[in-house]
Amino acid sequence: MAKPLPAHADVVIVGGGIIGCSIAYHLTKLGISGVTLLERMQLTSGTTWHAAGLVGQLRATRNMTELAKYTSELFKGLEAETGHATGFKQNGSISVALNEARLEEFKRGASMAKNFGLEVQVISPGEIRERMPHLNIDGVCGGVFLPGDGQVNPIDVTQAYAAGARSGGAQIFENKKVTRILSDGQRAYGVETADGTITADRVVIAGGMWSRELGQQVGVHLPLHAAEHFYIVTEPVAELPADMPVVRIPDEWAYYKEDAGKLMLGAFEPVAKPWGMDGIPDDFSFTTLPEDIEHFEPVLERAVSRMPLLETAGIALFFNGPESFTPDDRYYLGQAPFLKDLYVACGFNSIGIQSSGGAGKALAEWIEKGHPPMDLSDVDVRRIHPFQSNRRYLKERTSEALGLLYAMHWPYHQVETARGVRRSPFHDRMKDLGACFGEVNGWERPNWFAPGETEPRYAYSYGRQNWFDNAQAEAEAVRDTVGIFDQTSFAKFLVQGRDACAVLNTISANQIDVEPGKIVYTQWCNERGGIEADLTVTRIAETTFMVVTGAAPQLRDFAWLQRHIPDDTHCVATDITSGLPMLSIMGPNARELLRAVSGGEDLSNEAFAFGQSREIEVGFARVRASRITYVGELGYELYIPAEFAAHVFDEIWKAGQALGLKPAGMHTMNNCRMEKGFRHWGHDIADEDTPIEAGLGFAVAYDKVNGFIGRDALLRQKEQPSHTKRMVALALTDTSADCPMMYHEEPIYRDGKIVGATTSGAWGHRVGRSLALGYVHNRDGVNADWLNSGKWEVEIAWSKFDADVQFRPFYDPGNTRTRC
C-alpha cells in the first residue's frame, strides 16, 4: 500500500535530483525532520542520472570555492555514513593550457586557491606527461593539478543523500508530480499534487529544467533554459589507468575521465544547441536526445589528436541529454525576492554534482536561520530580472552560456548573444561618439569610447587591454576638464508617505531625517551588522525620498526595501528606474558647464554644496541635480524625465565643447572609484562585511532615535578594543608598463604570510599605479602601526609583487577636489 502524503510539512522540496536530495539531507542534519520531498517521476530521472560526475573545487570566487570544497569533503565520508556507495574517487584533476593566456588564467586561479588552503600545483608540460602518459602534449604550455578533485557516480550520490535524509526523518515520494505551488500572493504555503495537497511552512523549488514553469505559476521568475549536452564513452581500454585524473582542456572544449575502465569524452562547445523551447514532455524520464555526430565532430577530431588511444578505441555510447543553463552561468539559490517562504535551488549549469553538497548545506542553513550563512550574492536568486524569463532571450543566451564554462574568463569579458535588450535614451548618441558597450542585467552601457574608430571592440588580455589608452584619455578629461557618463542603468526608487522617513531611518544605518535637498550616503544592514545594500537616499520633500543604488542589485535592494516596510505604515516604494534616466558630469569644469546650460543658476559652493540636491533648469527641461561623485572630482548627477533626456544631453554636449567635455565610460568610472577607495557592493562589501570592517563607520548614526536594523551588532563590534578585519587600499610599487593588473581574490602577504585577499582591482590612470581594495586580518588588531611595520606583497598568477598598503585612498585623500 502506498504511503499517504502528509497533510503538512515544515519544508516541502519539489524535485528529486541531486540538489533536492542534498537539501533534504542537510535540513535533517540541522534537526528539521518535517521534510517532504516530491519527485515527479523517479529520483535522478531528469538531469542528474546522466551527469558526468566531475568533482572540482576551484571556482571563480572565494565562497563558491568554499562550497565546492565542502562538497568534496562531504563525499569522502558520505558512503560510510549512509551505507550507500557513491563511487567517489579522489584521483585529482589536471587542467591543461594550450596558450600563455590560458596558463595565466590557471595561475591566477591557483594563487586564489591559496586564500583558503586548497591544495593546487602549477605543473609543466613534462609533469603533465608524467601524470598522463597517454596525452599528446604538443602545444601544451602547462597546467594546474588539484589533488583533491575527483569524480562520483551521480545516481549513487543522490541515493546516498536520500538515505541520509530518510534516516533523519524526511519523507521522500516518487511519482508525485507537483501541479501547483500554493500562494496567497504574499507567501508560499504549500503544494498541490494529483494525490492531494500539502501545506508547508516553506517550499523549495529544486525542479531542474521544470523550475522556470513552477516559478511562473506564482510570479517568481527563474530564467533558465535547457541545452543539449554531449559525451561519448568508449569500449574498455586496457591501458587506461584506474586512477587517471580528470583532464580538462578548455581550449579544445573537452574533458576526459576514466569510467569503469572506459574513457569518457565530454564537451562544452562554444555554440550550443538549446532544447525544450516548446516545453518538456510529461513523460520525460531517463530520456536521451537524438544523436548529432556532426555537431560533436569538431570536438572528437581534436580529441583523437590529443588522446591518440581514441583512434583505436571503439565508441560504446554516444550520449546526448539536456541540462539547464542560466543567462549568467551562475545558479539560483535563496529566497524568492517578492514571495516569502519560497526558496529556490536550480539552474546549475553543468556543475550541479560538484555544487550539490555546498548548495544543499547553504540553502538548508538559509531556511533554518532566515538569512544566508555567507555571502552568496554570486548565486542569489534576487539578482535576476523578470525580462530574462523571455523565451527568445533565453534561447539565444543559452547557445552561448554552455560554452562560456570553458571559454577564457577574461577580465571585463562581455557576452555576445541577446544583446541590445535595455537601452538608455542616450544610447544612440553614445554610439555615435564611439562607445563600446558592455552589458549588465540587459542594460547596454558605454564601457569605453574609441572616437574615430569604426568598430570599437574588445581585444581581451590579463594585462593592459586595447582600451587602456582610451581610458587614460577619459580619466585625464575627468581630472583636467570634464567628462560625461551615462548612468541610466543605476536603479532609483521613490519612497513616499507620512511614515517614509521613519521607515527609511529604521532600514538605514545613517541618519535619514535631514533637511529636504540633502543626500545621505548609507548602508542597509542586517541584524548581524552585515551590509545588505550600499546606496544614497535623497530627501526630496518632507514625505518623499529617492533611493539610488547600482544596476546589478536593483531587484535585491528593492525587495529588501519592500520586505521591511511594515504593513501598518503609510509608506509606498516605487521602482522608477525606467522613467528617470541619469547623466553625470564630472571634473573641474563641471560647475561652469552646468551653469552654462542652466541659465546662470547659482552653483557656488556656498549655494550648492557637496551632498545637496535640487531641481534646476537645463535647456527647456527641469532636472534634479545632485552634487555627489563616484569618481572623486567636482561633479553632478542629473536625473532627467525620460521624455526630456535627449534634449538635455544635446544641450550639455553643445555647451561642453568649449570646456573640454569628453564622453567617459564605466571602466573609467570604476578606475576612478578605485583610486578613491570607494567601495562596490558585491565585490568589496556584502552581507558578511560590516561598515566598521569596510571602513564605512562614518556613515553610521549610532545615536539616532529608535535605532536601525543591525545597530546592536555594530555597537558590540565598535566597542571592541581592536578590529581584526579591515579593508585597505593597495598599490603595487612597480609602475612600469609591464606592471600586472590586480582584479580580485589575489592573496595579500605581510612578511611572507597570507593575511587577506583583494576584493576588486583596476589601473589608476590618475595616479599611474595598479590598485586594489581588500580585507586584511590580524587577531591582535588591524591598525596603522601594523600596516606600516610589515613588508607587503600581492600574489598575482603565481608570482609575488611588492605593494604599498594604507587605509586612505591613493588619490586626493583629503577630498579637496570633490568639495571645491
Side-chain angles (χ1 to χ4, degrees), residues 63-80:
N63 283 342
M64 293 301 97
T65 300
E66 293 284 12
L67 293 183
K69 183 180 177 184
Y70 165 80
T71 301
S72 181
E73 294 297 320
L74 177 64
F75 285 165
K76 287 181 183 179
L78 191 61
E79 180 174 337

Side-chain angles (χ1 to χ4, degrees), residues 749-752 784-793 803-805:
Y749 290 79
R750 181 184 182 274
D751 295 339
D785 288 342
W786 185 73
L787 294 186
N788 295 333
S789 61
K791 172 180 170 55
W792 293 91
E793 297 169 296
D804 296 324
V805 179

